[in-house]
Amino acid sequence: LQALGIEVIMLTGDNRRTAARIAREAGVTGFEAELLPQHKAQRVTALQQQGRHVGMIGDGVNDAPALAAAEVSFAIGAGSDVAIHAADVTLMRSDLLSAVDAIRLSRATFRKIRQNLFFAFIYNVLGIPLAAAGLLNPVIAGAAMAMSSVSVVSNSLLLKRWRPKRAGQ
């Protein structure tokens, strides 16, 4: 997550010593320990009030309030039903790297959306004035509209090639 430019803060109900060890092993510099479920949710809200966008990953009943408060939340698939229902996304594997995959796929999807809007914009910017001026044959205008749709659909289908990247890729 940090490699994607996302600041990571671990919020846990575990004791401070255990949390420090896990944070150190995971390479997480920011953590808060010995938090009750409502304190996690309050921390998420406090970060949002600072103008930050907050995502939350959790697996237990104690994470549900914070999952519900976050702008985007991920539940570990093997987690509690309450966490799964509170989250926006359920990760099918019990692997935190699945959240990284979901974020990367989301970013790739947004890139495709922007590209598709560009394609549609170009066809319309060129086609509409020519058609309005009577300089574009209706058959060519229809073909251009069909090509616009084909371009957008073809570009979108390229997402089928998307694969998760692992360390070193």
Side-chain angles (χ1 to χ4, degrees):
L1 290 172
Q2 291 169 345
L4 293 176
I6 298 170
E7 179 184 1
V8 177
I9 301 171
M10 184 176 75
L11 305 176
T12 181
D14 292 334
N15 69 55
R16 182 161 299 285
R17 199 169 124 212
T18 301
R21 191 188 81 232
I22 291 169
R24 186 174 49 256
E25 288 176 12
V28 175
T29 56
F31 72 91
E32 294 181 33
E34 300 174 2
L35 296 176
L36 296 174
Q38 63 269 26
H39 296 139
K40 291 180 185 181
Q42 289 168 354
R43 183 67 173 118
V44 166
T45 303
L47 289 166
Q48 291 168 329
Q49 289 172 345
Q50 295 172 10
R52 296 164 91 176
H53 297 287
V54 179
M56 172 75 182
I57 304 171
D59 66 348
V61 173
N62 59 343
D63 295 321
L67 290 167
E71 276 114 338
V72 64
S73 54
F74 302 89
I76 304 295
S80 73
D81 287 343
V82 175
I84 290 170
H85 288 293
D88 300 310
V89 177
T90 301
L91 304 172
M92 299 309 293
R93 297 185 314 252
S94 295
D95 176 7
L96 289 175
L97 291 177
S98 297
V100 174
D101 294 341
I103 291 167
R104 285 183 172 149
L105 178 58
S106 173
R107 288 179 176 179
T109 301
F110 272 104
R111 274 193 304 277
K112 286 295 173 199
I113 290 168
R114 283 192 294 274
Q115 290 168 1
N116 288 341
L117 286 171
F118 174 77
F119 286 137
F121 181 75
I122 290 299
Y123 278 104
N124 287 313
V125 162
L126 296 175
I128 290 174
L130 292 174
L135 301 173
L136 190 60
N137 182 315
V139 173
I140 294 173
M145 288 303 292
M147 285 305 300
S148 172
S149 296
V150 168
S151 297
V152 166
V153 170
S154 298
N155 190 43
S156 297
L157 288 173
L158 290 174
L159 274 174
K160 290 179 73 171
R161 294 181 178 180
W162 185 89
R163 296 291 175 258
K165 292 181 182 176
R166 291 295 169 219
Q169 292 183 324

